[in-house]
């Protein structure tokens, strides 16, 4: 579809800027026939600029279209002006996941990691928000006798989502495939320590053992170890959370990214003589 629109725009000398956000672009590309792969590569090459979310995605684009013009521009969030200080003692540690419930986001890995967490730290609650394979996930929770510790929130957004983030102690996203997840940015902007994986642009956002903990995708053992580490140390949660908030404010906020995006459009339009 985008090849058709891009071709029409080029015919009328309109600048073409492709902004790639899909987390499964690489998987999609290699599922296509040789002919369709060549069309995708050609579309990337002919674009005036291709914007991607991370270094890893830039490397992929240049692998399939070596002469394409590619730049990295991260996602951003509008950071809250104030966040509540974390409650360090005397409460259940709340672990929050928000996203599509299924294999790609690592939900089943998370559920399977919880028994080991409970064996070391019983005072824990896991909140899973999102749509998708909810019944399948609930069946796994029942199979592992975890209904006392794991609750499904359904789809949440707006103020309800912000309330859950504010009230959480740890945010986890054990994804197998990602671009640069907005949910991580949002959680970090509220001063939450995060646990996530070495996929997509996540390692460019989350600094291991500074803003949170990074693990290998699909490793149930590493998920449980990371959760236990943060559950057992309120001081570490507070430290990582503050670092995470500072990280987002300095490098992933609207005040940082929007001027870069404006500059990208101005440069592309000047190059084509449309500005």
């Amino acid at each position: 579809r985008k090849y058709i629109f891009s071709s029409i725009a080029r015919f009328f000398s309109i600048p073409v800027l492709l902004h790639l956000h899909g987390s499964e672009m690489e998987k999609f590309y290699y599922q296509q026939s040789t002919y369709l792969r060549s069309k995708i590569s050609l579309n990337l090459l002919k674009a005036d600029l291709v914007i991607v979310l991370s270094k890893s995605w830039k490397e992929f684009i240049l692998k399939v279209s070596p002469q394409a013009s590619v730049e990295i521009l991260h996602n951003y969030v509008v950071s809250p002006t104030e966040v509540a200080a974390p409650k360090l003692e005397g409460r259940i540690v709340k672990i929050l996941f928000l996203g599509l419930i299924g294999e790609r986001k690592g939900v089943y890995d998370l559920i399977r990691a919880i028994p080991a967490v409970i064996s070391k730290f019983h005072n824990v609650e896991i909140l899973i928000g999102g749509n998708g394979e909810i019944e399948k996930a609930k069946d796994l929770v029942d199979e592992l006798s975890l209904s006392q510790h794991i609750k499904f929130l359904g789809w949440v957004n707006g103020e309800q989502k912000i309330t859950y983030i504010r009230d959480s102690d740890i945010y986890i996203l054990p994804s197998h495939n990602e671009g640069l997840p907005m949910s991580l940015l949002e959680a970090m902007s509220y001063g939450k320590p995060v646990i996530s994986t070495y996929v997509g642009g996540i390692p460019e956002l989350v600094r291991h053992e500074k803003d949170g903990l990074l693990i290998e995708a699909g490793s149930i053992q590493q998920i449980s170890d990371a959760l236990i580490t943060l559950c057992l140390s309120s001081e570490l949660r507070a430290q990582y959370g503050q670092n995470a908030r500072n990280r987002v404010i300095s490098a992933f906020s609207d005040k940082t990214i929007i001027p870069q995006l404006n500059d990208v459009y101005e440069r592309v339009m000047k190059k084509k003589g449309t500005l």
Side-chain angles (χ1 to χ4, degrees):
R1 295 192 301 258
K2 295 171 181 62
Y3 185 90
I4 295 171
F5 289 120
S6 297
S7 298
I8 294 171
R10 284 190 289 267
F11 180 80
F12 288 102
S13 298
I14 296 171
V16 174
L17 192 153
L18 298 179
H19 202 157
L20 302 183
H21 277 244
S23 60
E24 296 192 305
M25 173 65 181
E26 185 172 1
K27 178 180 177 181
F28 168 79
Y29 176 84
Y30 287 114
Q31 287 175 338
Q32 307 310 307
S33 66
T34 301
Y35 172 75
L36 288 178
R37 288 186 198 178
S38 68
K39 285 294 185 182
I40 295 170
S41 298
L42 182 62
N43 198 34
L44 294 167
L45 172 64
K46 287 187 173 183
D48 292 284
L49 185 65
V50 180
I51 293 179
V52 294
L53 297 174
S54 66
K55 293 177 184 177
S56 62
W57 284 107
K58 180 176 181 179
E59 291 169 359
F60 165 70
I61 296 301
L62 292 177
K63 179 180 179 181
V64 302
S65 188
Q67 302 304 314
S69 179
V70 189
E71 289 189 19
I72 299 168
L73 189 66
H74 297 303
N75 279 335
Y76 72 88
V77 290
V78 178
S79 300
T81 55
E82 296 181 1
V83 297
K87 296 178 181 178
L88 300 183
E89 303 294 346
R91 69 191 297 254
I92 293 175
V93 174
K94 294 186 177 181
I95 300 163
L96 179 65
F97 167 94
L98 296 174
L100 183 65
I101 297 174
E103 194 69 41
R104 184 175 73 82
K105 292 286 188 178
V107 175
Y108 304 124
D109 300 332
L110 170 60
I111 294 171
R112 291 188 177 100
I114 298 307
V117 177
I118 295 170
S119 70
K120 298 288 185 180
F121 187 88
H122 191 75
N123 204 25
V124 65
E125 181 179 61
I126 299 87
L127 302 173
I128 297 177
N131 55 10
E133 299 173 353
I134 297 176
E135 292 307 316
K136 183 177 178 180
K138 285 183 176 180
D139 288 343
L140 180 58
V141 168
D142 291 339
E143 178 186 329
L144 298 175
S145 301
L146 294 173
S147 57
Q148 180 182 347
H149 294 278
I150 299 178
K151 295 181 180 179
F152 290 88
L153 308 175
W155 180 256
V156 296
N157 56 18
E159 287 302 315
Q160 188 182 31
K161 177 181 70 174
I162 297 305
T163 298
Y164 281 119
I165 292 175
R166 285 183 184 273
D167 197 40
S168 67
D169 298 287
I170 301 167
Y171 186 82
I172 185 165
L173 187 71
S175 295
H176 293 206
N177 204 346
E178 284 289 357
L180 187 64
M182 291 299 298
S183 65
L184 278 181
L185 286 166
E186 289 173 330
M188 292 171 69
S189 74
Y190 280 90
K192 303 303 174 182
V194 297
I195 298 172
S196 197
T197 53
Y198 290 100
V199 300
I202 293 173
E204 295 166 46
L205 168 63
V206 181
R207 298 166 296 181
H208 179 58
E209 295 185 337
K210 190 165 186 178
D211 311 309
L213 298 172
L214 292 177
I215 59 176
E216 296 298 329
S219 175
I220 296 170
Q221 181 67 54
Q222 289 186 29
I223 292 174
S224 59
D225 288 346
L227 285 171
I228 290 167
T229 296
L230 290 184
C231 284
L232 290 175
S233 177
S234 56
E235 291 79 9
L236 196 59
R237 295 198 302 270
Q239 176 189 330
Y240 286 173
Q242 185 59 56
N243 290 343
R245 176 166 164 76
N246 292 340
R247 172 77 167 150
V248 168
I249 291 173
S250 64
F252 295 87
S253 71
D254 55 325
K255 293 178 176 60
T256 300
I257 302 300
I258 287 180
Q260 295 178 31
L261 181 61
N262 289 336
D263 178 67
V264 164
Y265 275 88
E266 287 181 7
R267 282 191 283 111
V268 170
M269 292 172 72
K270 285 179 180 178
K271 181 180 176 181
K272 297 289 286 189
T274 57
L275 183 65

